[in-house]
């Protein structure tokens, strides 16, 4: 699997999300400033609610913009056994019951599932609980993640 193609898919998804969020923010701003939303009395909160929505949408746009900048700086490198798993690694994990999954570890803010070469790949940030546990690990290592009242155990099968 080509990590650079995977990274490009992540960037494309983030760009699309940013464009959609920008349109939503613009629409919310227009609604907040529209003359029909001027309060007619102290109980009329439509304009205030629209302003809150516009503010939240603007924050979301800025978060996506920052996430996109961070992900654009990612340069996936070949796996180095001495370094262990690091940002840009493509990791295959197995659970105790034999279920296997692929993860693409990167900076925070881009949790999504992608398809590449007939495989589903979970994009995971390094600040997510599982992402934190993976850093520095190597094939053959086991990690244990608390899930509710039990521990989920994973084995690192392969790293690219």
């Amino acid at each position: 699997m080509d990590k650079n193609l995977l990274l490009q898919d992540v960037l494309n998804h983030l760009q699309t999300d940013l464009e959609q969020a920008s349109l939503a923010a613009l629409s919310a701003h227009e609604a907040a400033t529209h003359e029909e939303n001027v309060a007619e009395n102290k109980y009329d909160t439509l304009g205030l609610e629209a302003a809150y929505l516009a503010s939240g949408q603007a924050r979301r746009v800025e978060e996506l913009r920052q996430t996109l900048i961070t992900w654009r700086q990612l340069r996936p490198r070949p796996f180095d056994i001495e370094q262990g798993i690091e940002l840009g690694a493509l990791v295959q994990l197995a659970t105790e019951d034999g279920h296997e999954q692929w993860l693409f570890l990167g900076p925070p803010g881009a949790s999504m599932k992608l398809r590449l070469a007939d495989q589903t790949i979970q994009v995971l940030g390094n600040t997510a609980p599982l992402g934190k546990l993976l850093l520095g690990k190597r094939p053959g290592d086991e990690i244990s993640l608390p899930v509710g009242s039990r521990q989920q155990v994973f084995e690192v099968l392969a790293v690219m």
Side-chain angles (χ1 to χ4, degrees):
M1 282 188 263
D2 187 341
K3 294 191 291 187
N4 290 311
L5 286 176
L6 194 55
L7 176 58
Q8 193 56 51
D9 277 356
V10 171
L11 294 174
N12 290 341
H13 277 79
L14 287 172
Q15 184 64 45
T16 300
D17 289 350
L18 176 59
E19 291 166 5
Q20 290 174 347
S22 295
L23 288 174
L26 179 61
S27 176
H29 175 73
E30 288 173 357
T33 57
H34 195 274
E35 64 186 41
E36 289 181 6
N37 286 332
V38 174
E40 295 177 6
N41 59 51
K42 67 181 183 177
Y43 301 108
D44 187 357
T45 61
L46 188 59
L48 181 61
E49 292 168 9
Y52 284 142
L53 177 60
S55 175
Q57 293 286 6
R59 279 192 304 276
R60 177 70 178 135
V61 166
E62 187 54 33
E63 288 171 3
L64 283 168
R65 189 173 286 126
Q66 291 303 317
T67 297
L68 193 54
I69 288 169
T70 304
W71 274 85
R72 282 183 178 146
Q73 295 171 355
L74 181 64
R75 300 290 177 259
R77 299 184 304 218
F79 177 64
D80 178 358
I81 194 76
E82 297 297 320
Q83 295 289 324
I85 295 172
E86 55 188 2
L87 293 185
L90 187 57
V91 182
Q92 185 182 29
L93 296 179
T95 59
E96 291 174 304
D97 63 3
H99 177 261
E100 296 179 5
Q101 62 183 341
W102 284 94
L103 303 172
F104 184 53
L105 186 63
S111 180
M112 62 184 75
K113 286 187 179 180
L114 300 175
R115 297 276 305 163
L116 183 67
D118 294 328
Q119 284 288 342
T120 299
I121 301 161
Q122 175 68 48
V123 179
L124 186 67
N126 66 329
T127 58
L130 183 55
K132 287 179 189 177
L133 292 172
L134 285 172
L135 290 172
K137 301 296 186 222
R138 295 166 183 78
D141 287 350
E142 284 191 353
I143 55 175
S144 181
L145 179 68
V147 179
S149 62
R150 62 182 185 86
Q151 294 288 320
Q152 178 76 44
V153 177
F154 299 94
E155 179 184 356
V156 178
L157 296 180
V159 183
M160 296 182 186

